Amino acid sequence: LAFRVNLIGRIRPALAAKTSCLVRDLTDGRYDHVELDEDYGLWMHDEGERRELRAFSGGENDLVHLCLRLAISQMIAERAGGAEHGFLVLDEVLGSQDGERRALILQALAVLSRQFRQILMITHIEEVKDLVENAIELRELPNGSSGVLGGEAVLGV
């Protein structure tokens, strides 16, 4: 029990620090400090005032939760030996963000690509495919199945 308490006591501040750095980067410094309470509830500082995350907009909530997930992924990758095994999957993390925030998220993912060998992001936002290095586009085929569009071939999925 003492080991577990000690471990949790070290992980929570490190996780909050990594999350805070990501939030600061993705909000252009608007928010710069996130706290995790003893129950891992999220708190964010706004103009020096500590507020529960639920007091912020839905887009800001989604952004902070994304930053927390990325911070957890970074910590796991670091403990597993780094980028050799790094694989990150993000599903629909851009939908609640405006264009400027989407660009900041994509920039942060480009930086994280040094730590994660592969980053797979699923999105329905059409313009994102023009902003990433590699994109795979799925379309519904006439027979109702889905297919990957690329080059001359359409691969059934």
Side-chain angles (χ1 to χ4, degrees):
L1 181 63
F3 173 75
R4 183 173 181 229
V5 169
N6 179 281
L7 183 62
I8 290 171
R10 288 191 330 236
I11 289 174
R12 193 166 29 102
L15 189 54
K18 283 188 178 296
T19 303
S20 292
C21 286
L22 289 163
V23 167
R24 181 176 35 257
D25 291 347
L26 296 181
T27 63
D28 259 349
R30 166 100 168 88
Y31 304 109
D32 65 355
H33 187 69
V34 174
E35 289 181 36
L36 290 164
D37 64 23
E38 291 164 6
D39 295 322
Y40 284 80
L42 286 163
W43 296 77
M44 192 159 62
H45 289 246
D46 183 17
E47 297 179 357
E49 183 181 334
R50 180 181 186 251
R51 299 171 53 193
E52 284 187 82
L53 189 58
R54 67 180 179 189
F56 294 88
S57 73
E60 289 165 333
N61 269 265
D62 289 348
L63 181 71
V64 173
H65 284 106
L66 170 62
C67 291
L68 178 62
R69 290 195 316 262
L70 292 172
I72 290 168
S73 297
Q74 283 181 306
M75 291 179 76
I76 290 170
E78 288 165 4
R79 281 160 178 68
E84 289 180 25
H85 306 291
F87 179 65
L88 185 61
V89 178
L90 302 168
D91 187 10
E92 295 296 347
V93 297
L94 301 173
S96 63
Q97 306 302 318
D98 62 27
E100 183 179 327
R101 189 81 43 86
R102 280 185 201 138
L104 289 170
I105 291 170
L106 292 173
Q107 287 173 8
L109 292 175
V111 171
L112 287 173
S113 71
R114 289 183 236 143
Q115 183 174 13
F116 296 95
R117 273 192 0 191
Q118 296 179 333
I119 298 176
L120 174 66
M121 181 174 47
I122 300 164
T123 185
H124 288 89
I125 301 170
E126 195 68 27
E127 65 267 12
V128 170
K129 72 180 179 185
D130 298 327
L131 302 173
V132 297
E133 188 176 334
N134 297 298
I136 299 171
E137 187 173 349
L138 290 176
R139 292 284 181 198
E140 186 175 353
L141 299 175
N143 66 3
S145 67
S146 295
V148 176
L149 300 181
E152 298 296 318
V154 176
L155 306 172
V157 184

